[in-house]
Structures are given as structure tokens and as C-alpha cells.
Amino acid sequence: MNTISTSVKDRLAIITLNRGRANALNREMVTELQQMLINIENDDNIGGVIITGRENFFSAGLDLLELYHYNEEEIKSFWNLFLEFSAKITAFKKPLVAAINGHSPAGGCVIALACDARVIAEGKFIIGLNEVPVGIVVPNSIFHLYSFWLGHGNAYRNLLEGKLFSPEEALAVGLVDEVVKPESIMTAAERKVRKYMAFEANTWQQSKLNLRKDVIAVTSANQSEDLEVMLKQWWSMGTRAILKSLVEGLKAKS
């Protein structure tokens, strides 16, 4: 695979996001992540998973540099794929822990939210859902995933202002479970996932799916109406202007 790398150690798979400096999500990366999760879920030799990034980025979210230039069919297909991936990772039955080694806004945060636990490195990193300031309408499924951890009211308030949290703030609101020194992040994540893996597998997995039943139902439901609203806003003059400004800023930094 071109955008992720995977290794296995004592029945634990470690998926490392590995696409450019910021690990921005494009069609290829989302497709590869989804396929890897399917492969792992069907592999009886793997009992749990850690997802991590590299350097100072877990994932900077969607690759706006690429998505901005998609035509109508391409962007509709991408959003369908991303929402399908969100449903798949939310319903992934095996233990799944995020080792958030750096920045994790927007799409990066969605990946982390779908995990059973999140360990984040201390430092000047940000995590959260900032779609609204970017001009992207938040679908109901992503709101439910956010509120699953933050609670309805907190998720509502923070989504509407596009709040991005420091590691310590994220811990305080329940967005992450632990803040550790960067050099300890994989050790802490492995400790968490192996704690889950130590339980009888079927009991743990069925309990996870039962506890997530409502959010799995929402993320797996037909989202064509939400998608229609998202796409209409994506092509609006206001959002195109915001995206153009962001893309020009990203190009200047690259």
C-alpha cells in the first residue's frame, strides 16, 4: 500500500499513516485504510490494532489541495467513500486504539473518534472538528460520533465554533483518554490495546458492538440527504472562497 504501512507484533497490528508530511487524507488513503481494516477484521491471527501517524502529524484531515480540484462526480464519490469509511471504522469489532502523535484536526480527529481509546502526545498539537470554519457542513453521523465521547451539549457547542483543543483541553472534555510524553506514546497505546486484547475476544467484541449500537446505526444509515446538503454547500461561492484561500495558504507553505 502507498499511503499506510502495517506491521504485526504478537497479534497486534500497527497501522502507520504514511502519506506526505501531514498525512492528509485523499481517496487513495481512505480506500487503503478501509481495505486494511477489512483485512484485519477477517484475520484471526490479529487481536487488536493501533493507528498512529509520524513526526508531528497524526493526520491533518482531508487533503484540500487535492479535493478542491475534484469535479462534481469526483467530490460526490469521495464524500460517499469517506462516510462509508467512517461507518466501517466505527463498527470495527476488534480493539482499536489511536496513538495520536501530533496534529489531528477534522478527518484525522474522525479516525481517532472511531477508536476505543485515544492516547495523545503532549506538545503544541491540536485536535478537534473544525469543519464549520472551513465551510464544510458537518453530517449527522459525524456529530453523533463526536457526541458519543463529548456528550451532546459539548459536541454541539464545540462543533458550531470549530473548536480545536490542545492535548490537555482534549483530555479535560473527554476527547482523549491520556496525555503522555511523545517518546512514550506507543508504549501507552500498546498498554491500552493489550488490556482489551486480554479479555475473551467474542465477549469483548460483542459488548463493544452492543455499546456502540446507536452510533453504528447512525453512521451506517443512508446519508444521501446529508450528502446532498454537504455538496450544495461545497460548491457555494462562500465555501469555494474559503477553500481557495486555504489552498493558496497550503501551497505557499509547501
Side-chain angles (χ1 to χ4, degrees):
M1 291 190 171
N2 297 320
T3 65
I4 62 174
S5 61
T6 306
S7 60
V8 180
K9 180 179 77 171
D10 299 329
R11 301 189 70 248
L12 173 63
I14 299 170
I15 299 174
T16 302
L17 308 179
N18 186 28
R19 180 176 180 263
R21 186 176 73 89
N23 278 329
L25 298 161
N26 69 346
R27 169 179 295 281
E28 182 180 31
M29 193 175 192
V30 174
T31 300
E32 290 188 351
L33 268 170
Q34 179 161 290
Q35 187 57 56
M36 182 55 67
L37 288 173
I38 291 171
N39 294 346
I40 290 171
E41 195 161 49
N42 294 326
D43 188 340
D44 292 337
N45 295 314
I46 297 176
V49 183
I50 291 173
I51 298 183
T52 191
R54 58 189 186 83
E55 298 171 10
N56 293 318
F57 284 90
F58 180 73
S59 170
L62 303 185
D63 186 352
L64 296 179
L65 280 170
E66 183 172 319
L67 270 59
Y68 178 75
H69 297 289
Y70 281 3
N71 62 31
E72 288 190 23
E73 272 307 308
E74 288 169 336
I75 196 63
K76 181 178 181 180
S77 174
F78 175 81
W79 277 116
N80 266 318
L81 173 68
F82 185 76
L83 292 175
E84 180 186 313
F85 164 70
S86 301
K88 176 62 187 173
I89 192 171
T90 299
F92 183 77
K93 65 183 181 181
K94 294 182 179 181
L96 181 63
V97 171
I100 306 166
N101 58 298
H103 298 298
S104 187
C109 184
V110 172
I111 293 173
L113 287 168
C115 294
D116 300 301
R118 285 150 297 285
V119 180
I120 192 169
E122 62 184 30
K124 294 182 178 179
F125 301 126
I126 54 169
I127 182 171
L129 298 181
N130 61 329
E131 279 79 357
V132 169
V134 176
I136 297 173
V137 174
V138 179
N140 186 47
S141 59
I142 302 302
F143 170 65
H144 272 75
L145 192 55
Y146 207 31
S147 61
F148 185 79
W149 299 108
L150 270 69
H152 203 94
N154 271 339
Y156 180 94
R157 284 187 289 270
N158 290 310
L159 264 175
L160 285 184
E161 65 177 70
K163 171 75 173 174
L164 291 171
F165 300 92
S166 69
E168 291 73 23
E169 289 172 333
L171 180 65
V173 298
L175 178 51
V176 301
D177 302 278
E178 193 175 353
V179 180
V180 300
K181 294 187 181 301
E183 61 269 22
S184 302
I185 191 162
M186 291 305 293
T187 301
E190 183 169 346
R191 183 170 61 244
K192 277 195 177 294
V193 75
R194 288 202 183 278
K195 185 174 183 178
Y196 296 144
M197 290 168 64
F199 294 108
E200 197 280 320
N202 191 59
T203 302
W204 191 93
Q205 291 171 16
Q206 287 303 315
S207 296
K208 170 180 176 173
L209 296 178
N210 286 346
L211 293 169
R212 287 180 170 230
K213 183 166 58 176
D214 291 344
V215 72
I216 288 172
V218 173
T219 54
S220 301
N222 186 311
Q223 297 186 63
S224 55
E225 287 187 16
D226 274 7
L227 183 59
E228 189 176 330
V229 172
M230 290 171 68
L231 290 171
K232 184 177 180 181
Q233 185 59 35
W234 177 268
W235 293 111
S236 72
M237 288 179 62
T239 291
R240 296 307 286 176
I242 295 170
L243 292 173
K244 183 179 180 182
S245 178
L246 288 169
V247 166
E248 287 173 351
L250 290 168
K251 283 181 178 176
K253 290 178 182 178
S254 62

